[in-house]
């Protein structure tokens, strides 16, 4: 099974900050890596698929990069609505798996 | 606009069977471009993939749950289903149904989620 490790598990940031979240896979997953945003009481929302493709309707301040085992999600200029928990997910093979999440909090 | 909606009992007794339905509207479940998945999230914790079904009826399950899980589909009703037997308190979670894109493997549509509590 492929293990997904996110870091940090939480971070505090201010509006306007640049934020980077890292996701590492326990084996190569090529570019089969997706990112989601989840707010309390809501279902996750797809932000990035295929490691770097922006989902339709998602603001361009979100970007993804990486391939193989190491991936990053970057929020270029943090907005108030971006405070949430972010998850990575590998879709390289089954069982599909998610990272443990990164909670982005207001500083 | 595609919508998914979970339904089923919010309370299940230990050792009994959890049964949920996901109703898909605004699109057909009989598309070769998508899988239909169940995912759960224990309170305050992360996401766990349970399994999926393809419109043809083929299924894949998480090995950690495989012995207890059955996922099925009724294409005529545009619904798919989750059965999880012999539940314990550890199965208490919000259960989501979601559409997974065949090529990329990403989840582009999710249900709102339904909390299932296992308790006597």
């Amino acid at each position: 099974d492929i293990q997904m490790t996110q870091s940090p598990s939480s971070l505090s940031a201010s509006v306007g900050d640049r934020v980077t979240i890292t996701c590492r896979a326990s084996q190569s997953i090529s570019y089969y890596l997706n990112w989601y945003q989840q707010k309390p009481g809501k279902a996750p929302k797809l932000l990035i698929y295929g490691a770097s493709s922006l989902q339709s309707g998602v603001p361009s301040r979100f970007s993804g990069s990486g391939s193989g085992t190491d991936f990053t999600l970057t929020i270029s200029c943090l907005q108030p609505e971006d405070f949430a928990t972010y998850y990575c997910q590998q879709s390289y093979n089954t069982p599909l798996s998610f990272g443990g999440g990164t909670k982005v909090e207001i500083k | 606009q595609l919508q998914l909606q979970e339904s089923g009992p919010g309370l299940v007794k230990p050792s009994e069977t959890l049964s949920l339905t996901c109703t898909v509207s605004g699109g057909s479940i009989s598309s070769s471009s998508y899988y239909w998945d169940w995912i759960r999230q224990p309170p305050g914790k992360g996401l766990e993939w349970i399994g999926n079904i393809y419109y043809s009826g083929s299924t894949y399950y998480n090995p950690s749950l495989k012995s207890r899980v059955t996922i099925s589909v009724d294409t005529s009703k545009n619904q798919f289903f989750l059965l999880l037997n012999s539940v314990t308190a550890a199965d208490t979670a919000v259960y989501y149904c979601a559409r997974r894109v065949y090529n990329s493997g990403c989840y582009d549509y999710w249900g709102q989620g339904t909390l299932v509590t296992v308790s006597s």
Side-chain angles (χ1 to χ4, degrees):
Chain A
D1 296 4
I2 299 174
Q3 309 302 318
M4 305 301 294
T5 304
Q6 279 182 245
S7 61
S9 56
S10 66
L11 65 90
S12 295
S14 300
V15 172
D17 283 355
R18 181 182 182 90
V19 169
T20 298
I21 298 168
T22 296
C23 181
R24 174 165 289 175
S26 59
Q27 66 182 73
S28 177
I29 58 171
S30 185
Y31 54 86
Y32 289 93
L33 190 284
N34 311 299
W35 290 98
Y36 302 87
Q37 176 194 68
Q38 187 179 35
K39 296 183 178 179
K42 300 295 187 182
K45 171 189 174 184
L46 178 64
L47 300 175
I48 302 286
Y49 64 94
S52 61
S53 295
L54 191 67
Q55 172 68 352
S56 176
V58 174
S60 59
R61 62 181 180 273
F62 291 93
S63 64
S65 64
S67 66
T69 60
D70 294 317
F71 303 86
T72 59
L73 173 70
T74 299
I75 310 172
S76 61
C77 184
L78 199 65
Q79 297 300 299
E81 60 268 31
D82 300 337
F83 292 95
T85 300
Y86 293 84
Y87 292 95
C88 61
Q89 173 236 337
Q90 67 83 13
S91 52
Y92 183 73
N93 63 14
T94 55
L96 304 179
S97 49
F98 293 84
T102 297
K103 187 173 184 179
V104 177
E105 299 176 301
I106 301 172
K107 181 182 283 186
Chain B
Q1 177 78 345
L2 190 81
Q3 291 187 325
L4 294 86
Q5 177 70 57
E6 304 91 349
S7 59
L11 180 65
V12 180
K13 290 181 169 54
S15 80
E16 296 190 344
T17 297
L18 179 158
S19 177
L20 294 175
T21 298
C22 182
T23 301
V24 179
S25 58
S28 174
I29 206 170
S30 298
S31 169
S32 60
S33 298
Y34 306 104
Y35 293 103
W36 303 92
D37 289 37
W38 288 98
I39 298 152
R40 69 180 183 179
Q41 185 172 36
K45 296 188 178 180
L47 299 157
E48 179 183 30
W49 179 71
I50 298 171
N52 69 259
I53 193 161
Y54 198 45
Y55 78 101
S56 61
S58 62
T59 55
Y60 295 90
Y61 301 134
N62 192 323
S64 67
L65 299 168
K66 186 175 183 178
S67 63
R68 299 194 292 130
V69 173
T70 302
I71 298 175
S72 58
V73 65
D74 185 335
T75 54
S76 67
K77 294 183 178 179
N78 235 27
Q79 294 177 323
F80 64 107
F81 311 95
L82 172 67
L83 293 176
L84 180 65
N85 59 37
S86 304
V87 297
T88 69
D91 295 310
T92 294
V94 174
Y95 286 76
Y96 294 101
C97 58
R99 187 179 83 170
R100 178 159 56 96
V101 180
Y102 186 92
N103 288 337
S104 66
C106 67
Y107 294 103
D108 60 349
Y109 285 93
W110 296 68
Q112 65 185 24
T114 187
L115 174 63
V116 179
T117 302
V118 179
S119 175
S120 55

